[in-house]
Amino acid sequence: MAPAVGIKRPATQTITLPPPAVRDVLRSTIPSQPAEAPAAAERAPPAAPAAAVEGFLCLEEVDGRRWSYVVDGGGAVKGRGRGGAAGPAGASVRAVPLQSPLPPAEEIMAFIRSYVVPEGFPDSVTPSYVPYMTWRALKHFFGGAMGVFTTRTLLSSVGVSQSKVTPGAIAINWILKDGAGRVGKMLFARQGKKFDYDLKQLRFSSDLLLEIGAGIELTTAAFPQFFLPMACVANVVKNVAAVTSTSTRTPIYKAYARGENIGDVTAKGESVGNIADLLGTGLSIFISKRNPSLVTSFAFLSCGYLLSSYQEVRSVVLNTLNRARFTVAVDSFIKTGHIPSLKEGNSQETIFNPPWRHEPVAIGSRFGEAFQEPASFVAIRPLFEDERYIVTYNPTKDKVYALLKDQAKSDDIIKAAFHAHVLLHFINASHARRLKQKQRQANPDRSDYGSLYSRNMDFLAHIAESCKIVSSSYGTFKKKAREQGWIMSESLLNPGKARLCGAKPL
C-alpha cells in the first residue's frame, strides 16, 4: 500500500490568515466552539490528499450528459504540485465526453422545447396547461392575421392613400415592425426562472430598455429613409421590456398581498397605473401644442421615468433570499454576527447589474472553470469528503467557485453558497492586507500591483479555515435568518446545472 502523500510547506513560506478581529467576531457568535480549536487547526496541515488513480479526477454531468476529467500528459500522479499536492509536472485537466453527440434532429427539438415549454415540462405544469396554450396560440394566430387588414384600413382612412406610397406598402412596413417586436418578446421568454429570483433587477432593466426603444423611435424622425430597420429594432427592445415587466408584475403584487387578496391588489394597482398614464398623456398633449424642443422634452421625461422606476423597485420588500440579498445577509453575518431585517436587506440590494460587472462567486460551476490543474483539486478534495460540494478559489479569474456533487440537496446548495462567501471574505481580507503592506514600503515596485491578486498564492489555508468556520456557524446563520423572516431556497440562488459524480467511468 503506497504511503499517503502529505502537503508540506516550505520553511520560508508565510501562510496569510484572516485578521484576528474578523475571526474573533465570527467565533463570538458560536459559543459551542472550543477556544483552543482555531489555534490547533492553524498549526495542523490539511489532510493528505488521495492520489488520482490512473490520471482520472472526477465525473461531471450536465443535462443528462457526462464528461470525465482526466490528467492530461501523464498516467498516475507523480511529483509535487502547488501547495505540496501530488500531481504530474506540467499536467493539465482534459475533459473527455462519455456520450456520442446527439443527432441533429434531437438537438433541434431540444432547442425548440427550450423556447416553447417550461423547464421540467410536463411535470412542472398542470394537465390543463396544454389545452389552454393551444387555444391561446390559435387565438393569437387569427388576431395577427386580422391586424393586417385593420391596420391597412385605418391608415387608408386617415388619408395615407392620397400620398405617392400605396396604403398596402405602408401597412406591410408597419406589420413587419410589429412582427419583429413579437419575435423579440418570444425569444426573451427563454429567460425562465430569472423572472422569479432576479425580478427587481429585471424590472428596472426592462424600464431602461423601454427608454432605449423610445429613443430609437424618436431618432427615426432624423433618418426617415431607415424607418423600417430602426422601427423594428425599437419594437424588439420595447417588447422585451414589456414581457419582462409583465412577468415580474405578479410576484411584486404578491409581496404586498395579505391573505387571498392578490386579485384585488393587482386590480387596484393596474387601476392606479392607468389613471397616472391618462394624466401623463393629457399633460404631454397640452405641452406638445407649444412645440417644445424634442430632445429637451425627451431627456427631462426620460430622467424622471428612470428615477421613478428605480425608487419604485427599491421600495419593494421581498422575504426571499436571492443571490443579491443572500450576499448582503452573509456579509453582514460575517462582519457583525447579525442578519439584516427584511427592510434593511432589501434596501442594500444591488438593483442594477451591468453585464460587464465581475461576479466574484459562482455556484454550480463546471469543473474546468474552477480547476485548471489537477494538483489544486487533489489537494482540497479531502477537505470536503463529508460534504456534498467543493469550494475553491481560482486566482487567475479572481473568483470563488462552489462545485456541487450529484447528491447535493437544497440545503447543501445553500450551504455551498454560504461557504463560498465566507471563503471570499477571507481571500479579500488577505488581498487587502497584502496591498496595504505593499503601500507601506519605502520604494514599492509598481509592477507588482497588477499581479497582486493573481499571484500563485497558497490559498489552502484559507479553505481549511473557512471549513471550520462554516461547520460551526452555518446553523446559526440559518437560525438567525429565519428569525428575521427570510425564506431561503436553492432555486433562488440560480445554481448551475453541473454536478460532480462519484463513480469512475467504465
Side-chain angles (χ1 to χ4, degrees), residues 65-297:
R65 299 183 61 80
R66 289 193 169 193
W67 281 264
S68 173
Y69 284 89
V70 298
V71 180
D72 193 14
V77 175
K78 303 176 183 178
R80 296 272 175 181
R82 183 177 57 180
S92 60
V93 176
R94 180 166 57 94
V96 180
L98 301 182
Q99 296 94 355
S100 58
L102 291 175
E106 292 187 20
E107 289 188 355
I108 293 175
M109 291 303 299
F111 181 79
I112 294 176
R113 282 195 298 269
S114 68
Y115 282 100
V116 299
V117 298
E119 295 182 15
F121 179 86
D123 297 330
S124 61
V125 295
T126 60
S128 59
Y129 176 81
V130 175
Y132 168 77
M133 291 306 300
T134 302
W135 286 106
R136 180 179 173 81
L138 189 62
K139 180 192 72 173
H140 279 269
F141 172 79
F142 287 111
M146 192 188 309
V148 176
F149 299 98
T150 56
T151 304
R152 180 175 179 178
T153 302
L154 290 173
L155 291 174
S156 178
S157 299
V158 296
V160 177
S161 58
Q162 300 177 2
S163 63
K164 297 181 180 180
V165 183
T166 63
I170 297 176
I172 289 175
N173 285 341
W174 198 270
I175 296 302
L176 288 176
K177 172 186 75 71
D178 291 343
R182 293 189 180 97
V183 171
K185 181 185 295 186
M186 178 191 67
L187 295 180
F188 195 71
R190 193 187 184 189
Q191 297 298 318
K193 291 183 178 180
K194 286 186 178 181
F195 295 123
D196 297 317
Y197 53 74
D198 279 342
L199 62 92
K200 286 175 152 185
Q201 290 77 7
L202 287 176
R203 184 63 178 264
F204 179 72
S205 299
S206 70
D207 290 334
L208 185 61
L209 286 176
L210 193 65
E211 289 304 295
I212 293 176
I216 296 175
E217 287 181 339
L218 290 177
T219 310
T220 58
F223 305 97
Q225 65 273 23
F226 299 112
F227 167 80
L228 182 58
M230 295 179 67
C232 288
V233 171
N235 219 32
V236 168
V237 173
K238 294 180 71 173
N239 275 273
V240 167
V243 71
T244 305
S245 177
T246 303
S247 302
T248 56
R249 183 183 305 158
T250 300
I252 291 177
Y253 283 144
K254 186 178 180 180
Y256 287 108
R258 277 189 164 183
E260 302 299 326
N261 62 336
I262 180 64
D264 187 32
V265 172
T266 303
K268 297 303 188 294
E270 294 302 295
S271 177
V272 171
N274 289 331
I275 293 174
D277 184 81
L278 289 174
L279 292 176
T281 301
L283 179 62
S284 64
I285 293 175
F286 175 76
I287 296 177
S288 63
K289 293 182 178 181
R290 301 176 179 271
N291 296 322
S293 171
L294 186 62
V295 176
T296 303
S297 300

Side-chain angles (χ1 to χ4, degrees), residues 238-418:
K238 294 180 71 173
N239 275 273
V240 167
V243 71
T244 305
S245 177
T246 303
S247 302
T248 56
R249 183 183 305 158
T250 300
I252 291 177
Y253 283 144
K254 186 178 180 180
Y256 287 108
R258 277 189 164 183
E260 302 299 326
N261 62 336
I262 180 64
D264 187 32
V265 172
T266 303
K268 297 303 188 294
E270 294 302 295
S271 177
V272 171
N274 289 331
I275 293 174
D277 184 81
L278 289 174
L279 292 176
T281 301
L283 179 62
S284 64
I285 293 175
F286 175 76
I287 296 177
S288 63
K289 293 182 178 181
R290 301 176 179 271
N291 296 322
S293 171
L294 186 62
V295 176
T296 303
S297 300
F298 173 74
F300 175 77
L301 295 176
S302 180
C303 290
Y305 180 86
L306 292 177
L307 179 61
S308 301
S309 173
Y310 183 78
Q311 295 297 332
E312 174 200 21
V313 173
R314 287 191 65 86
S315 66
V316 179
V317 178
L318 302 174
N319 62 349
T320 54
L321 285 176
N322 64 347
R323 281 200 178 189
R325 294 185 290 275
F326 187 85
T327 301
V328 172
V330 176
D331 287 347
S332 176
F333 179 76
I334 292 175
K335 296 176 181 178
T336 66
H338 300 284
I339 301 295
S341 63
L342 297 181
K343 186 175 182 179
E344 293 172 347
N346 281 269
S347 64
Q348 298 175 29
E349 178 183 4
T350 302
I351 300 299
F352 179 61
N353 292 322
W356 56 87
R357 182 181 179 181
H358 174 67
E359 294 292 340
V361 174
I363 307 171
S365 306
R366 299 196 60 179
F367 184 90
E369 297 175 354
F371 297 99
Q372 296 177 334
E373 55 183 23
S376 300
F377 173 73
V378 175
I380 71 172
R381 181 168 54 181
L383 299 174
F384 298 92
E385 289 290 344
D386 298 330
E387 301 291 349
R388 294 176 180 176
Y389 63 89
I390 295 177
V391 173
T392 186
Y393 171 70
N394 190 328
T396 304
K397 300 179 181 179
D398 192 24
K399 181 180 288 191
V400 175
Y401 292 90
L403 283 72
L404 305 175
K405 300 180 181 179
D406 54 357
Q407 313 97 331
K409 305 300 180 183
S410 177
D411 187 69
D412 299 309
I413 297 175
I414 297 174
K415 185 177 181 180
F418 177 78

